[in-house]
Amino acid sequence: MRIGAIEGGGTKFVCGIGNEQGVIEDRISFPTEQPEKVMEQIISYFKDKGVQAIGNGTFGPIDIDPASQTYGYVTTTPKPGWSGYPFVETLKQAFDIPFGWDTDVNAAAYGEAVWGAAKGLDSCVYFTIGTGIGVGVFSEGKLVHGLVHPEGGHLLPRRHPEDRFEGSCPYHGDCLEGLAAGPAIEKRWGIKGSELAEDHPAWAMEAYYVGQAVTSTILLLSPKRVVLGGGVMHQKQLLPMIRAEVTRNLNGYVSAAPLLNDINEYIVPPGLGENAALCGSLALGLEAWKSVND
Ligand code: ADP
Ligand code: ZN
């Protein structure tokens, strides 16, 4: 079986073709320009490829309510040209096949649950800490949707006592994304995160903020695993620092063996590496195919 996958990111789109084992057999990527241009490239890539369904994991906010008139649309993004773009509908006009549709981070959480670091578990939370911060939630065997979809990147952390940076989120200033995404690190310290030394105080502050968000997530959703991905997590020293912050914050309160004895196996990097969202989109495509063929 050949299933298409689209990972729509803020900086680039990745399209791929994979099978029901989660193996990506072919892929291309191109920059996130105006939607018409992106869509033209998507359509020309999948044309003649014989895919039986396509799954999409796309940057949000997006409309994922099947009962809504604007289901499949990108909604209020400040990204030029994208607000109100009928993404799924445009694809449907080109291909008469089933489509899966969710956020890029929900797709990544799903990919990790089906084939990655949370394989076999019925819940996990996926954080991407990159140009923005996004949180995907898989719970009781399903991706979590509600009023819209989770927007955990904009949680409001307690400020670090030594942090004088006002925060860079255009909506909230010092929310999690405004304090801890890649661009916030660069603005606060005046140098790109990738160029900061491993022992720079930036990383303790980063772990302080991400650690709080992970703690809140554990308290609120009780996921069976937490997966941390995104460009900022390329700083290998961060993961153990975040685990230590979570342990400190929880202070033994949540009585669960993975938190008390095995946090290294509980807060983990993506099992699928950079492919989490693309594989998750593939899984969404497979699910869409099954929903009409089973
Ligand atoms: P995106 O979020 O756009 O999909 P990434 O997940 O790759 O892409 O995140 C890009 C962000 O991660 C940028 O802000 C960049 O500065 C930051 N970043 C990338 N590599 C590193 C690194 N090694 N150390 C710290 N920050 C990094
Ligand atoms: Zn915000």
Side-chain angles (χ1 to χ4, degrees), residues 153-154 169 171-173 175 177-178:
H154 299 264
C169 175
Y171 290 88
H172 319 111
C175 66
E177 178 172 298

Side-chain angles (χ1 to χ4, degrees), residues 15-62:
C15 295
I17 294 170
N19 63 21
E20 58 270 55
Q21 277 81 45
V23 178
I24 304 284
E25 291 155 353
D26 185 61
R27 75 167 71 209
I28 56 159
S29 81
F30 37 84
T32 305
E33 294 167 298
Q34 289 290 321
E36 294 74 17
K37 181 144 187 228
V38 167
M39 191 51 79
E40 202 181 293
Q41 294 175 89
I42 292 174
I43 291 171
S44 86
Y45 175 72
F46 286 115
K47 197 160 57 100
D48 310 324
K49 293 277 197 309
V51 293
Q52 287 160 274
I54 298 178
N56 297 270
T58 304
F59 65 84
I62 60 176

Side-chain angles (χ1 to χ4, degrees), residues 6 24 27 52 62 65 74 76 128 139 147 157 169 182 198 206 213 216 234 248 250 252 273:
I6 302 173
I24 304 284
R27 75 167 71 209
Q52 287 160 274
I62 60 176
D65 174 5
V74 178
T76 53
T128 181
S139 182
L147 203 52
C169 175
E198 204 177 296
E206 183 70 8
S216 299
H234 290 154
R248 188 175 65 84
L250 289 174

